[in-house]
Amino acid sequence: MKYASLKSSAVYVPEQELPNSVLQQRFPDDPEFVEKMAAKSGIQTRWRAAANMATSDLAAKAGEKAIAAAGLKPQDISVVIVGTDSPDYITPSTSVITAHKIGATNAGTFDVGCACSSFPTAFSIASGLMATNESYRYILVIGAYLMSRLADESDLMSFFYGDGAGAVVLEAKDKPGFVSSALLADGSYAKDWGIYAGGTVEPANNDAIAAGRTQVKMLNKYPPSVNEDGWPKLVHDVCERGKFSIGDVDLFIFTQVRKRTIEKVMQKLEIPWEKTHCVMEKWGYTGSACIPMALHDALEEKKAKQGDLVVLIGSGVGYNQAGVAFYL
């Protein structure tokens, strides 16, 4: 049996910065909004992609960097998986476009679309593919996010959205690597936050566009328990399934949407703060990309080393949640 092992990681951050000081000017009716949200979320700035860039461009740039860091050629990649809820199109998939832009001419492709839990879900799927297909030696897994393009910039929620992408190359090896995964979901929250026109329920039309239903909207706030209880449950689930304890984990990476939530979850799990890593301060909330971006940044800062046990916990609208555990 082969195990998916992390061979390399990379990020792509666009060049145009949008700090809180500039964003504050967009909300004159609530001059304290940005300051209050910064205190709760930890977000100080975010970055915007150029107007001619699509999600596949962000994904391709991160993917190319990860392939180069692995010392490979694009043709060495067997599968390209892109996790995103801001795709280029409804169809074709963003992954097939990304693979073409990278030059991964020998790769099969597919998208994973479970919002901000897409990356740990994709990591788990890639691990299963490697365990059951000996021909898959290298799989490129990318999380990419361009939700700002699908948002109303006057909407208060646009405070969060940062553009970016994170990527990893997974290599099939004879020892872990991948240890365990867990998934959670509750579709009763599906009407609370999303993009509600442009699919089969309501195809995009002039009325939908005029009403803003082709843009991302938060219609109801999720209760704090969704993450404050859901994330600890996922941690316990991956520990139980992987037959290790919480104390064995060297690094936890959580969805980077709200720093206070991460603080509460770490306290609930009785884990020292030094065992997690946050990047929302410098990159904003990059949704489907935030977990691989935070993972790469933690590795760059030497917060984990070869042989360490890492747990990734993702949470997104729908709601969908996912956790994955692996050894570096």
Side-chain angles (χ1 to χ4, degrees):
M1 178 176 173
K2 297 291 185 180
Y3 298 88
S5 299
L6 186 71
K7 185 170 181 64
S8 69
S9 64
V11 301
Y12 173 72
V13 180
E15 295 180 359
Q16 181 182 352
E17 185 175 9
L18 181 59
N20 287 356
S21 58
V22 173
L23 190 67
Q24 197 162 17
Q25 301 168 18
R26 296 186 179 178
F27 309 116
D29 295 336
D30 191 351
E32 296 181 355
F33 172 75
V34 170
E35 185 177 340
K36 289 185 293 186
M37 293 306 296
K40 293 178 180 179
S41 66
I43 294 172
Q44 300 298 321
T45 193
R46 73 278 305 137
W47 301 79
R48 290 287 187 264
N52 64 345
M53 296 186 78
T55 297
S56 60
D57 293 307
L58 307 183
K61 287 184 177 295
E64 287 169 344
K65 292 170 72 174
I67 291 170
L72 301 174
K73 302 184 298 294
Q75 295 83 1
D76 295 325
I77 302 299
S78 301
V79 184
V80 175
I81 308 173
V82 174
T84 188
D85 57 345
S86 57
D88 284 16
Y89 312 106
I90 292 178
T91 190
S93 70
T94 302
S95 57
V96 74
I97 300 166
T98 300
H100 175 68
K101 289 179 176 179
I102 290 172
T105 52
N106 295 319
T109 74
F110 61 90
D111 288 5
V112 172
C114 46
C116 307
S117 64
S118 294
F119 184 81
T121 303
F123 192 120
S124 180
I125 294 170
S127 300
L129 287 172
M130 285 182 157
T132 56
N133 295 271
E134 290 188 1
S135 62
Y136 293 160
R137 186 175 179 188
Y138 300 109
I139 295 181
L140 177 65
V141 182
I142 307 171
Y145 202 63
L146 190 47
M147 193 60 75
S148 68
R149 192 67 54 78
L150 304 175
D152 177 356
E153 290 285 10
S154 66
D155 184 354
L156 295 178
M157 296 312 296
S158 66
F159 168 86
F160 289 95
Y161 303 133
D163 303 335
V168 299
V169 172
L170 301 179
E171 181 181 10
K173 290 192 172 183
D174 293 325
K175 62 179 182 179
F178 172 83
V179 179
S180 61
S181 64
L183 305 176
L184 289 175
D186 188 342
S188 67
Y189 290 91
K191 294 295 181 69
D192 289 354
W193 196 341
I195 299 172
Y196 294 107
T200 57
V201 170
E202 183 182 9
N205 54 47
N206 290 337
D207 290 342
I209 294 169
R213 291 193 294 275
T214 57
Q215 295 177 313
V216 62
K217 298 288 184 184
M218 184 181 75
L219 303 179
N220 292 296
K221 289 185 177 180
Y222 282 15
S225 59
V226 166
N227 291 334
E228 292 176 15
D229 294 338
W231 294 0
K233 175 172 172 44
L234 282 168
V235 170
H236 285 293
D237 285 350
V238 295
C239 289
E240 181 179 352
R241 295 173 188 184
K243 296 180 172 56
F244 58 86
S245 70
I246 291 176
D248 293 330
V249 181
D250 298 289
L251 178 65
F252 294 86
I253 300 290
F254 297 94
T255 290
Q256 303 283 294
V257 67
R258 196 170 182 270
K259 194 169 187 177
R260 284 188 182 177
T261 302
I262 298 175
E263 291 170 348
K264 289 180 180 180
V265 169
M266 294 291 281
Q267 290 169 3
K268 181 175 286 190
L269 292 169
E270 298 182 340
I271 303 168
W273 182 252
E274 293 73 22
K275 283 194 171 187
T276 192
H277 188 68
C278 293
V279 294
M280 69 278 285
E281 297 96 334
K282 61 182 181 180
W283 291 330
Y285 179 50
T286 54
S288 308
C290 70
I291 289 180
M293 291 177 77
L295 173 63
H296 174 78
D297 198 63
L299 295 176
E300 288 288 290
E301 294 192 10
K302 310 298 184 185
K303 295 191 76 169
K305 61 185 184 301
Q306 188 173 5
D308 281 356
L309 181 59
V310 177
V311 169
L312 311 179
I313 303 292
S315 183
V317 299
Y319 68 83
N320 284 106
Q321 296 181 332
V324 64
F326 61 96
Y327 287 101
L328 291 174

mmCIF file of all heavy atoms in Angstrom, residues 4-38:
data_model
loop_
_atom_site.group_PDB
_atom_site.id
_atom_site.type_symbol
_atom_site.label_atom_id
_atom_site.label_comp_id
_atom_site.label_asym_id
_atom_site.label_seq_id
_atom_site.Cartn_x
_atom_site.Cartn_y
_atom_site.Cartn_z
ATOM 1 N N ALA A 4 0.135 8.819 0.626
ATOM 2 C CA ALA A 4 0.396 10.164 0.114
ATOM 3 C C ALA A 4 1.263 10.918 1.109
ATOM 4 O O ALA A 4 0.903 11.068 2.279
ATOM 5 C CB ALA A 4 -0.910 10.913 -0.111
ATOM 6 N N SER A 5 2.412 11.405 0.647
ATOM 7 C CA SER A 5 3.352 12.140 1.496
ATOM 8 C C SER A 5 3.631 13.503 0.877
ATOM 9 O O SER A 5 3.749 13.631 -0.344
ATOM 10 C CB SER A 5 4.658 11.362 1.654
ATOM 11 O OG SER A 5 4.425 10.112 2.273
ATOM 12 N N LEU A 6 3.751 14.500 1.711
ATOM 13 C CA LEU A 6 3.992 15.860 1.238
ATOM 14 C C LEU A 6 5.418 15.978 0.706
ATOM 15 O O LEU A 6 6.378 15.786 1.448
ATOM 16 C CB LEU A 6 3.773 16.851 2.375
ATOM 17 C CG LEU A 6 3.847 18.329 1.987
ATOM 18 C CD1 LEU A 6 2.644 18.730 1.156
ATOM 19 C CD2 LEU A 6 3.933 19.212 3.230
ATOM 20 N N LYS A 7 5.538 16.308 -0.569
ATOM 21 C CA LYS A 7 6.862 16.482 -1.169
ATOM 22 C C LYS A 7 7.248 17.947 -1.246
ATOM 23 O O LYS A 7 8.411 18.307 -1.060
ATOM 24 C CB LYS A 7 6.913 15.852 -2.564
ATOM 25 C CG LYS A 7 8.310 15.891 -3.194
ATOM 26 C CD LYS A 7 8.380 15.059 -4.441
ATOM 27 C CE LYS A 7 9.786 15.071 -5.054
ATOM 28 N NZ LYS A 7 10.796 14.457 -4.153
ATOM 29 N N SER A 8 6.285 18.826 -1.525
ATOM 30 C CA SER A 8 6.577 20.255 -1.619
ATOM 31 C C SER A 8 5.298 21.051 -1.418
ATOM 32 O O SER A 8 4.184 20.510 -1.492
ATOM 33 C CB SER A 8 7.192 20.605 -2.979
ATOM 34 O OG SER A 8 6.240 20.453 -4.010
ATOM 35 N N SER A 9 5.465 22.343 -1.182
ATOM 36 C CA SER A 9 4.328 23.246 -1.056
ATOM 37 C C SER A 9 4.714 24.601 -1.630
ATOM 38 O O SER A 9 5.901 24.907 -1.795
ATOM 39 C CB SER A 9 3.900 23.398 0.410
ATOM 40 O OG SER A 9 4.933 24.010 1.174
ATOM 41 N N ALA A 10 3.693 25.409 -1.938
ATOM 42 C CA ALA A 10 3.939 26.740 -2.488
ATOM 43 C C ALA A 10 2.686 27.583 -2.354
ATOM 44 O O ALA A 10 1.584 27.050 -2.161
ATOM 45 C CB ALA A 10 4.349 26.654 -3.962
ATOM 46 N N VAL A 11 2.852 28.891 -2.460
ATOM 47 C CA VAL A 11 1.716 29.805 -2.467
ATOM 48 C C VAL A 11 1.874 30.799 -3.610
ATOM 49 O O VAL A 11 2.986 31.043 -4.085
ATOM 50 C CB VAL A 11 1.567 30.588 -1.136
ATOM 51 C CG1 VAL A 11 1.397 29.637 0.035
ATOM 52 C CG2 VAL A 11 2.749 31.520 -0.904
ATOM 53 N N TYR A 12 0.747 31.342 -4.008
ATOM 54 C CA TYR A 12 0.764 32.508 -4.897
ATOM 55 C C TYR A 12 -0.116 33.587 -4.281
ATOM 56 O O TYR A 12 -1.290 33.349 -3.972
ATOM 57 C CB TYR A 12 0.257 32.184 -6.292
ATOM 58 C CG TYR A 12 0.118 33.448 -7.124
ATOM 59 C CD1 TYR A 12 1.249 34.117 -7.579
ATOM 60 C CD2 TYR A 12 -1.136 33.998 -7.394
ATOM 61 C CE1 TYR A 12 1.142 35.297 -8.296
ATOM 62 C CE2 TYR A 12 -1.244 35.175 -8.115
ATOM 63 C CZ TYR A 12 -0.106 35.824 -8.562
ATOM 64 O OH TYR A 12 -0.212 37.002 -9.258
ATOM 65 N N VAL A 13 0.476 34.770 -4.071
ATOM 66 C CA VAL A 13 -0.236 35.926 -3.547
ATOM 67 C C VAL A 13 -0.160 37.029 -4.600
ATOM 68 O O VAL A 13 0.938 37.383 -5.042
ATOM 69 C CB VAL A 13 0.392 36.416 -2.226
ATOM 70 C CG1 VAL A 13 -0.369 37.627 -1.691
ATOM 71 C CG2 VAL A 13 0.407 35.294 -1.191
ATOM 72 N N PRO A 14 -1.297 37.576 -5.024
ATOM 73 C CA PRO A 14 -1.266 38.650 -6.027
ATOM 74 C C PRO A 14 -0.523 39.880 -5.522
ATOM 75 O O PRO A 14 -0.219 39.999 -4.329
ATOM 76 C CB PRO A 14 -2.750 38.959 -6.257
ATOM 77 C CG PRO A 14 -3.486 37.773 -5.748
ATOM 78 C CD PRO A 14 -2.656 37.210 -4.644
ATOM 79 N N GLU A 15 -0.259 40.811 -6.428
ATOM 80 C CA GLU A 15 0.595 41.949 -6.107
ATOM 81 C C GLU A 15 -0.156 43.155 -5.549
ATOM 82 O O GLU A 15 0.442 44.012 -4.887
ATOM 83 C CB GLU A 15 1.366 42.379 -7.365
ATOM 84 C CG GLU A 15 2.342 41.314 -7.864
ATOM 85 C CD GLU A 15 3.103 41.745 -9.097
ATOM 86 O OE1 GLU A 15 2.850 42.886 -9.568
ATOM 87 O OE2 GLU A 15 3.943 40.976 -9.579
ATOM 88 N N GLN A 16 -1.454 43.267 -5.800
ATOM 89 C CA GLN A 16 -2.194 44.460 -5.395
ATOM 90 C C GLN A 16 -2.715 44.309 -3.968
ATOM 91 O O GLN A 16 -3.570 43.467 -3.686
ATOM 92 C CB GLN A 16 -3.366 44.715 -6.341
ATOM 93 C CG GLN A 16 -4.164 45.965 -5.994
ATOM 94 C CD GLN A 16 -5.351 46.177 -6.917
ATOM 95 O OE1 GLN A 16 -5.509 45.480 -7.908
ATOM 96 N NE2 GLN A 16 -6.191 47.130 -6.569
ATOM 97 N N GLU A 17 -2.220 45.152 -3.072
ATOM 98 C CA GLU A 17 -2.621 45.071 -1.661
ATOM 99 C C GLU A 17 -3.812 45.986 -1.385
ATOM 100 O O GLU A 17 -3.904 47.095 -1.914
ATOM 101 C CB GLU A 17 -1.465 45.446 -0.737
ATOM 102 C CG GLU A 17 -1.798 45.260 0.735
ATOM 103 C CD GLU A 17 -0.619 45.513 1.658
ATOM 104 O OE1 GLU A 17 0.420 45.993 1.164
ATOM 105 O OE2 GLU A 17 -0.734 45.235 2.862
ATOM 106 N N LEU A 18 -4.723 45.503 -0.545
ATOM 107 C CA LEU A 18 -5.871 46.286 -0.094
ATOM 108 C C LEU A 18 -5.906 46.247 1.431
ATOM 109 O O LEU A 18 -6.577 45.412 2.030
ATOM 110 C CB LEU A 18 -7.170 45.730 -0.682
ATOM 111 C CG LEU A 18 -8.465 46.469 -0.328
ATOM 112 C CD1 LEU A 18 -8.419 47.920 -0.786
ATOM 113 C CD2 LEU A 18 -9.667 45.746 -0.935
ATOM 114 N N PRO A 19 -5.168 47.143 2.093
ATOM 115 C CA PRO A 19 -5.110 47.129 3.555
ATOM 116 C C PRO A 19 -6.394 47.678 4.169
ATOM 117 O O PRO A 19 -7.212 48.322 3.505
ATOM 118 C CB PRO A 19 -3.924 48.044 3.865
ATOM 119 C CG PRO A 19 -3.859 48.975 2.703
ATOM 120 C CD PRO A 19 -4.318 48.190 1.512
ATOM 121 N N ASN A 20 -6.569 47.417 5.464
ATOM 122 C CA ASN A 20 -7.760 47.878 6.161
ATOM 123 C C ASN A 20 -7.934 49.388 6.071
ATOM 124 O O ASN A 20 -9.048 49.889 6.002
ATOM 125 C CB ASN A 20 -7.705 47.455 7.633
ATOM 126 C CG ASN A 20 -7.938 45.970 7.808
ATOM 127 O OD1 ASN A 20 -8.215 45.251 6.852
ATOM 128 N ND2 ASN A 20 -7.832 45.496 9.037
ATOM 129 N N SER A 21 -6.840 50.117 6.074
ATOM 130 C CA SER A 21 -6.923 51.578 6.035
ATOM 131 C C SER A 21 -7.596 52.085 4.764
ATOM 132 O O SER A 21 -8.324 53.087 4.788
ATOM 133 C CB SER A 21 -5.521 52.189 6.158
ATOM 134 O OG SER A 21 -4.676 51.717 5.122
ATOM 135 N N VAL A 22 -7.369 51.377 3.654
ATOM 136 C CA VAL A 22 -8.013 51.747 2.384
ATOM 137 C C VAL A 22 -9.447 51.236 2.354
ATOM 138 O O VAL A 22 -10.374 51.937 1.925
ATOM 139 C CB VAL A 22 -7.210 51.194 1.195
ATOM 140 C CG1 VAL A 22 -7.952 51.431 -0.113
ATOM 141 C CG2 VAL A 22 -5.829 51.833 1.152
ATOM 142 N N LEU A 23 -9.644 50.024 2.817
ATOM 143 C CA LEU A 23 -10.975 49.413 2.794
ATOM 144 C C LEU A 23 -11.965 50.215 3.634
ATOM 145 O O LEU A 23 -13.156 50.293 3.320
ATOM 146 C CB LEU A 23 -10.880 47.980 3.309
ATOM 147 C CG LEU A 23 -12.128 47.110 3.136
ATOM 148 C CD1 LEU A 23 -12.375 46.840 1.665
ATOM 149 C CD2 LEU A 23 -11.964 45.794 3.889
ATOM 150 N N GLN A 24 -11.494 50.816 4.690
ATOM 151 C CA GLN A 24 -12.355 51.561 5.607
ATOM 152 C C GLN A 24 -13.145 52.659 4.884
ATOM 153 O O GLN A 24 -14.266 52.985 5.267
ATOM 154 C CB GLN A 24 -11.502 52.174 6.720
ATOM 155 C CG GLN A 24 -12.277 52.615 7.939
ATOM 156 C CD GLN A 24 -11.360 52.800 9.135
ATOM 157 O OE1 GLN A 24 -10.146 52.902 8.988
ATOM 158 N NE2 GLN A 24 -11.931 52.842 10.318
ATOM 159 N N GLN A 25 -12.576 53.205 3.832
ATOM 160 C CA GLN A 25 -13.226 54.283 3.093
ATOM 161 C C GLN A 25 -14.471 53.811 2.347
ATOM 162 O O GLN A 25 -15.306 54.625 1.933
ATOM 163 C CB GLN A 25 -12.229 54.898 2.108
ATOM 164 C CG GLN A 25 -10.986 55.465 2.766
ATOM 165 C CD GLN A 25 -9.894 55.813 1.768
ATOM 166 O OE1 GLN A 25 -10.149 55.948 0.574
ATOM 167 N NE2 GLN A 25 -8.668 55.946 2.254
ATOM 168 N N ARG A 26 -14.636 52.495 2.194
ATOM 169 C CA ARG A 26 -15.784 51.970 1.463
ATOM 170 C C ARG A 26 -17.041 51.884 2.324
ATOM 171 O O ARG A 26 -18.126 51.613 1.810
ATOM 172 C CB ARG A 26 -15.459 50.581 0.910
ATOM 173 C CG ARG A 26 -14.345 50.584 -0.121
ATOM 174 C CD ARG A 26 -14.170 49.227 -0.726
ATOM 175 N NE ARG A 26 -13.111 49.224 -1.742
ATOM 176 C CZ ARG A 26 -12.717 48.147 -2.405
ATOM 177 N NH1 ARG A 26 -13.297 46.988 -2.160
ATOM 178 N NH2 ARG A 26 -11.757 48.233 -3.304
ATOM 179 N N PHE A 27 -16.887 52.036 3.616
ATOM 180 C CA PHE A 27 -18.024 51.869 4.521
ATOM 181 C C PHE A 27 -18.231 53.113 5.371
ATOM 182 O O PHE A 27 -18.111 53.078 6.597
ATOM 183 C CB PHE A 27 -17.802 50.644 5.414
ATOM 184 C CG PHE A 27 -17.445 49.390 4.653
ATOM 185 C CD1 PHE A 27 -16.213 48.783 4.825
ATOM 186 C CD2 PHE A 27 -18.341 48.820 3.757
ATOM 187 C CE1 PHE A 27 -15.879 47.633 4.120
ATOM 188 C CE2 PHE A 27 -18.020 47.679 3.046
ATOM 189 C CZ PHE A 27 -16.786 47.078 3.231
ATOM 190 N N PRO A 28 -18.573 54.239 4.750
ATOM 191 C CA PRO A 28 -18.712 55.494 5.492
ATOM 192 C C PRO A 28 -19.866 55.485 6.494
ATOM 193 O O PRO A 28 -19.847 56.248 7.469
ATOM 194 C CB PRO A 28 -18.938 56.530 4.388
ATOM 195 C CG PRO A 28 -19.501 55.743 3.241
ATOM 196 C CD PRO A 28 -18.838 54.417 3.316
ATOM 197 N N ASP A 29 -20.876 54.613 6.267
ATOM 198 C CA ASP A 29 -22.018 54.576 7.173
ATOM 199 C C ASP A 29 -21.701 53.866 8.489
ATOM 200 O O ASP A 29 -22.466 53.963 9.450
ATOM 201 C CB ASP A 29 -23.207 53.870 6.501
ATOM 202 C CG ASP A 29 -23.720 54.649 5.305
ATOM 203 O OD1 ASP A 29 -23.491 55.875 5.264
ATOM 204 O OD2 ASP A 29 -24.326 54.028 4.413
ATOM 205 N N ASP A 30 -20.603 53.128 8.504
ATOM 206 C CA ASP A 30 -20.199 52.408 9.724
ATOM 207 C C ASP A 30 -18.690 52.549 9.871
ATOM 208 O O ASP A 30 -17.930 51.613 9.599
ATOM 209 C CB ASP A 30 -20.602 50.928 9.631
ATOM 210 C CG ASP A 30 -20.463 50.193 10.965
ATOM 211 O OD1 ASP A 30 -19.892 50.784 11.908
ATOM 212 O OD2 ASP A 30 -20.910 49.040 11.053
ATOM 213 N N PRO A 31 -18.221 53.721 10.306
ATOM 214 C CA PRO A 31 -16.782 53.994 10.327
ATOM 215 C C PRO A 31 -15.977 53.080 11.243
ATOM 216 O O PRO A 31 -14.765 52.953 11.071
ATOM 217 C CB PRO A 31 -16.703 55.448 10.799
ATOM 218 C CG PRO A 31 -18.005 55.687 11.501
ATOM 219 C CD PRO A 31 -19.028 54.855 10.790
ATOM 220 N N GLU A 32 -16.641 52.430 12.211
ATOM 221 C CA GLU A 32 -15.924 51.544 13.132
ATOM 222 C C GLU A 32 -15.955 50.085 12.681
ATOM 223 O O GLU A 32 -15.364 49.234 13.344
ATOM 224 C CB GLU A 32 -16.528 51.662 14.536
ATOM 225 C CG GLU A 32 -16.373 53.054 15.150
ATOM 226 C CD GLU A 32 -16.954 53.119 16.552
ATOM 227 O OE1 GLU A 32 -17.556 52.111 16.993
ATOM 228 O OE2 GLU A 32 -16.811 54.160 17.192
ATOM 229 N N PHE A 33 -16.641 49.787 11.564
ATOM 230 C CA PHE A 33 -16.822 48.404 11.143
ATOM 231 C C PHE A 33 -15.495 47.695 10.904
ATOM 232 O O PHE A 33 -15.266 46.596 11.413
ATOM 233 C CB PHE A 33 -17.680 48.341 9.876
ATOM 234 C CG PHE A 33 -17.747 46.973 9.262
ATOM 235 C CD1 PHE A 33 -18.517 45.979 9.830
ATOM 236 C CD2 PHE A 33 -17.015 46.667 8.114
ATOM 237 C CE1 PHE A 33 -18.576 44.708 9.271
ATOM 238 C CE2 PHE A 33 -17.068 45.405 7.546
ATOM 239 C CZ PHE A 33 -17.850 44.421 8.126
ATOM 240 N N VAL A 34 -14.617 48.302 10.122
ATOM 241 C CA VAL A 34 -13.353 47.657 9.775
ATOM 242 C C VAL A 34 -12.526 47.397 11.015
ATOM 243 O O VAL A 34 -11.941 46.315 11.186
ATOM 244 C CB VAL A 34 -12.576 48.502 8.750
ATOM 245 C CG1 VAL A 34 -11.158 47.968 8.569
ATOM 246 C CG2 VAL A 34 -13.299 48.510 7.410
ATOM 247 N N GLU A 35 -12.480 48.361 11.904
ATOM 248 C CA GLU A 35 -11.701 48.195 13.135
ATOM 249 C C GLU A 35 -12.261 47.064 13.989
ATOM 250 O O GLU A 35 -11.502 46.259 14.540
ATOM 251 C CB GLU A 35 -11.721 49.505 13.923
ATOM 252 C CG GLU A 35 -10.844 49.488 15.169
ATOM 253 C CD GLU A 35 -10.819 50.821 15.890
ATOM 254 O OE1 GLU A 35 -11.144 51.844 15.257
ATOM 255 O OE2 GLU A 35 -10.471 50.829 17.082
ATOM 256 N N LYS A 36 -13.588 46.992 14.092
ATOM 257 C CA LYS A 36 -14.210 45.926 14.881
ATOM 258 C C LYS A 36 -13.952 44.564 14.258
ATOM 259 O O LYS A 36 -13.639 43.591 14.972
ATOM 260 C CB LYS A 36 -15.716 46.177 15.006
ATOM 261 C CG LYS A 36 -16.076 47.352 15.900
ATOM 262 C CD LYS A 36 -17.578 47.476 16.086
ATOM 263 C CE LYS A 36 -18.276 47.863 14.799
ATOM 264 N NZ LYS A 36 -19.726 48.133 15.014
ATOM 265 N N MET A 37 -14.077 44.463 12.934
ATOM 266 C CA MET A 37 -13.864 43.180 12.271
ATOM 267 C C MET A 37 -12.404 42.751 12.336
ATOM 268 O O MET A 37 -12.111 41.553 12.468
ATOM 269 C CB MET A 37 -14.317 43.268 10.819
ATOM 270 C CG MET A 37 -15.819 43.439 10.649
ATOM 271 S SD MET A 37 -16.770 42.155 11.505
ATOM 272 C CE MET A 37 -16.255 40.706 10.611
ATOM 273 N N ALA A 38 -11.502 43.713 12.270
ATOM 274 C CA ALA A 38 -10.082 43.380 12.383
ATOM 275 C C ALA A 38 -9.769 42.797 13.751
ATOM 276 O O ALA A 38 -8.981 41.846 13.876
ATOM 277 C CB ALA A 38 -9.234 44.617 12.113
#
